[in-house]
């Protein structure tokens, strides 16, 4: 009989790729989507798997509904990907971010503990927990120092996942994933905003406004990272793993790579809030800096040390940043030309 997996946040970026991956692995895939969901499952539809998954309209923080769902269905695996996932919004929405990202996780863990203790659990932890990094690169032993309500909320859920594993012997794992992107990334995130903005510029000539161009991230491809989630749950013993590429790139350099791919010759001029990216052809501004997109506290640099994932899971990032940007540009050009 097929194994049953529940994915919370199934209509998000990772949820959609994970659903596609698990379906290929022969799983029966169920998903959680709140009724007020901000998208119309366009990612599941784009991947052509919408009719292959069964969706429950339940909010992660509805405790009684989560208990009922988990006790009735006795899932083999639960992947908790639902979250208020945008760091930038978390200062203005600190309470709802904490409710969803922290309390939502205990809702699931406690339901598993009481009614379905054989269920394996995956928690979507994040490199944002390293925040003001205490060592570079970061691995499973690096101390945490979150820098946003998002990072703090995720640190709680990371530790409660470990605590339920140690206290109640649950098979609960936490994947500390560094930034991962795809054509299906949310539009608020910087990579998608850049690729979408540059591709639109070809038609509308509207410049893009960004925040901190010096921030560096370890960007990988979401399609590679969902495999790591599954590999974690397949191990005999539950554990936590850092997942990333081991290469970091600044926001500015990410822009330049994309600009070059679109054959937009450019130069960067000025500094700080006056920095601009100018097109050589007609001296028009294509990227400018705006204080609106700076954060109250910034994470300047994140870089993964994935030695443990390589050794134990046999997992490595397969898609280079160059290939990832190609994927994102091709999708965006296809969408803008339709
Ligand atoms: P995403 O695209 O924002 O997906 C998150 C999903 O959770 C959305 O579909 C959202 O639905 C849903 N959700 C939010 N609140 C909910 C609630 N109360 N009840 C039920 N569903 C709810 O994020 P992602 O990039 O796929 O990331 C997946 C997970 O990995 C998140 O937990 C994120 O924090 C974590 N993570 C992501 C990265 C990354 O770089 N992508 C890195 C590390 C960790 P709505 O449409 O209704 O908002
Ligand atoms: P995060 O690492 O989860 O916060 O992912 P984001 O894609 O939202 O941001 C990555 C980095 O890009 C952060 O250091 C941001 O401060 C920086 N950044 C610079 N300009 C922008 C922008 O306009 N939007 C976003 N989202 N981030 C920006």
């Amino acid at each position: 009989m097929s194994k049953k997996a529940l994915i919370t946040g199934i209509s998000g970026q990772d949820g959609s790729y994970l659903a596609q991956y698990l379906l290929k692995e022969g799983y029966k895939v169920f998903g959680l989507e709140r009724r007020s969901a901000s998208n119309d499952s366009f990612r599941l539809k784009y991947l052509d798997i919408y009719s292959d998954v069964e969706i429950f309209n339940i909010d992660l923080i509805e405790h009684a509904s989560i208990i009922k769902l988990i006790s009735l269905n006795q899932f083999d695996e639960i992947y908790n990907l639902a979250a208020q996932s945008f760091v930038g919004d978390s200062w203005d929405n600190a309470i709802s971010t904490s409710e969803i990202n922290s309390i939502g996780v205990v809702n699931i863990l406690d339901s598993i503990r009481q009614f379905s203790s054989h269920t394996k659990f995956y928690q979507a932890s994040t490199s944002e927990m390293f925040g003001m990094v205490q060592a570079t690169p970061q691995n499973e032993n690096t101390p945490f120092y979150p820098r946003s309500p998002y990072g703090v909320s995720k640190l709680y859920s990371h530790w409660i996942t470990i605590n339920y594993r140690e206290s109640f012997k649950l098979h609960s794992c936490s994947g500390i994933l560094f930034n991962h992107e795809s054509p299906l990334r949310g539009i608020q995130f910087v990579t998608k905003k850049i690729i979408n903005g540059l591709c639109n510029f070809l038609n509308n000539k509207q410049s893009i406004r960004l925040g901190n161009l010096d921030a560096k991230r370890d960007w990988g491809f979401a399609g590679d990272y969902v495999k790591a989630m599954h590999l974690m749950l397949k191990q005999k013993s539950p554990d936590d793993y850092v997942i990333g590429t081991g290469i970091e790139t600044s926001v500015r350099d990410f822009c330049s790579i994309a600009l070059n791919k679109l054959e937009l010759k450019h130069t960067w001029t000025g500094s700080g809030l006056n920095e601009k990216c100018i097109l050589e052809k007609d001296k028009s501004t294509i990227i400018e800096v705006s204080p609106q997109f700076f954060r109250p506290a910034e994470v300047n640099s994140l870089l993964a040390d994935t030695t443990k994932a390589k050794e134990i899971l046999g997992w490595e990032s397969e898609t280079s940043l160059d290939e990832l940007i190609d994927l994102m540009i091709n999708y965006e050009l296809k969408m803008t030309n339709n």
Side-chain angles (χ1 to χ4, degrees):
M1 216 171 58
S2 303
K3 281 192 176 173
K4 294 201 295 182
L6 173 72
I7 303 173
T8 75
I10 193 164
S11 52
Q13 172 189 257
D14 291 6
S16 306
Y17 282 111
L18 179 62
Q20 184 186 47
Y21 179 76
L22 292 177
L23 286 167
K24 281 194 189 136
E25 292 284 306
Y27 278 71
K28 174 130 186 62
V29 176
F30 300 82
L32 204 69
E33 189 182 72
R34 50 185 170 174
R35 195 166 290 284
S36 59
S38 62
N39 71 65
D40 65 349
S41 303
F42 77 92
R43 297 179 176 97
L44 295 170
K45 290 174 187 162
Y46 178 78
L47 296 175
D48 201 18
I49 54 170
Y50 184 61
S51 55
D52 301 331
V53 299
E54 193 172 321
I55 306 273
F56 301 104
N57 284 126
I58 299 174
D59 194 300
L60 194 57
I61 56 178
E62 286 297 336
H63 185 47
S65 306
I66 295 288
I67 289 184
K68 194 170 150 199
L69 176 74
I70 289 176
S71 59
L72 277 180
N73 286 284
Q74 299 291 309
F75 300 106
D76 295 288
E77 296 169 10
I78 297 181
Y79 296 85
N80 182 40
L81 309 186
Q84 191 300 95
S85 65
F86 183 44
V87 172
D89 276 354
S90 71
W91 280 275
D92 284 335
N93 300 283
I95 294 171
S96 57
T97 299
S98 308
E99 276 173 354
I100 298 165
N101 296 6
S102 305
I103 304 302
V105 185
V106 206
N107 269 349
I108 301 184
L109 280 168
D110 214 62
S111 306
I112 293 177
R113 170 175 82 90
Q114 293 187 69
F115 302 107
S116 189
S117 59
H118 72 283
T119 302
K120 296 180 175 181
F121 176 77
Y122 172 86
Q123 169 57 20
S125 284
T126 164
S127 53
E128 286 290 321
M129 301 187 307
F130 295 121
M132 190 186 284
V133 295
Q134 304 295 295
T136 294
Q138 296 85 49
N139 63 27
E140 295 77 6
N141 300 317
T142 306
F144 298 117
Y145 193 139
R147 292 273 284 170
S148 61
Y150 170 82
V152 173
S153 69
K154 284 284 187 172
L155 191 51
Y156 173 86
S157 46
H158 180 70
W159 281 115
I160 200 77
T161 301
I162 294 171
N163 181 263
Y164 268 55
R165 175 167 83 217
E166 293 175 351
S167 307
F168 306 117
K169 309 280 175 275
L170 295 191
H171 193 109
S172 54
C173 302
S174 183
I176 308 173
L177 271 52
F178 282 60
N179 296 52
H180 44 281
E181 320 294 312
S182 74
L184 304 181
R185 184 65 145 142
I187 189 70
Q188 315 95 312
F189 295 90
V190 77
T191 57
K192 178 75 172 182
K193 182 175 168 185
I194 293 166
I195 303 292
N196 175 271
L198 295 183
C199 291
N200 283 334
F201 181 89
L202 300 175
N203 295 323
N204 66 17
K205 306 291 171 216
Q206 266 180 22
S207 62
I208 316 172
R209 293 183 311 136
L210 297 175
N212 180 9
L213 300 173
D214 292 318
K216 289 183 182 163
R217 290 290 182 275
D218 178 331
W219 280 299
F221 172 49
D224 294 341
Y225 286 36
V226 297
K227 293 182 199 163
M229 299 175 187
H230 183 232
L231 282 170
M232 284 178 215
L233 293 199
K234 274 174 73 175
Q235 303 307 303
K236 257 206 170 114
S237 317
D239 207 346
D240 311 316
Y241 297 88
V242 158
I243 298 295
T245 70
I247 300 171
E248 64 175 2
T249 307
S250 69
V251 172
R252 186 184 297 97
D253 287 346
F254 184 98
C255 293
S256 283
I257 298 171
L259 283 159
N260 289 337
K261 284 181 182 290
L262 292 166
E263 296 180 356
L264 294 166
K265 286 200 176 149
H266 60 280
T267 41
W268 295 92
T269 64
S271 62
L273 289 177
N274 295 319
E275 185 166 355
K276 280 185 170 55
C277 182
I278 311 279
L279 290 185
E280 288 179 7
K281 190 177 68 175
D282 57 5
K283 306 287 174 236
S284 62
T285 299
I286 186 159
I287 297 172
E288 50 197 324
V289 173
S290 163
Q292 187 188 339
F293 299 105
F294 281 77
R295 294 170 176 180
E298 178 62 293
V299 172
N300 293 318
S301 151
L302 290 171
L303 181 63
D305 167 5
T306 57
T307 310
K308 181 174 170 184
K310 274 182 209 155
E311 284 179 6
I312 300 179
L313 304 179
W315 181 90
E316 272 188 272
S317 164
E318 290 166 29
T319 310
S320 67
L321 183 64
D322 221 55
E323 292 164 334
L324 170 63
I325 295 178
D326 282 338
L327 286 174
M328 295 179 77
I329 289 179
N330 289 341
Y331 172 89
E332 222 59 53
L333 292 178
K334 199 168 98 187
M335 289 298 161
T336 43
N337 291 331
N338 274 340

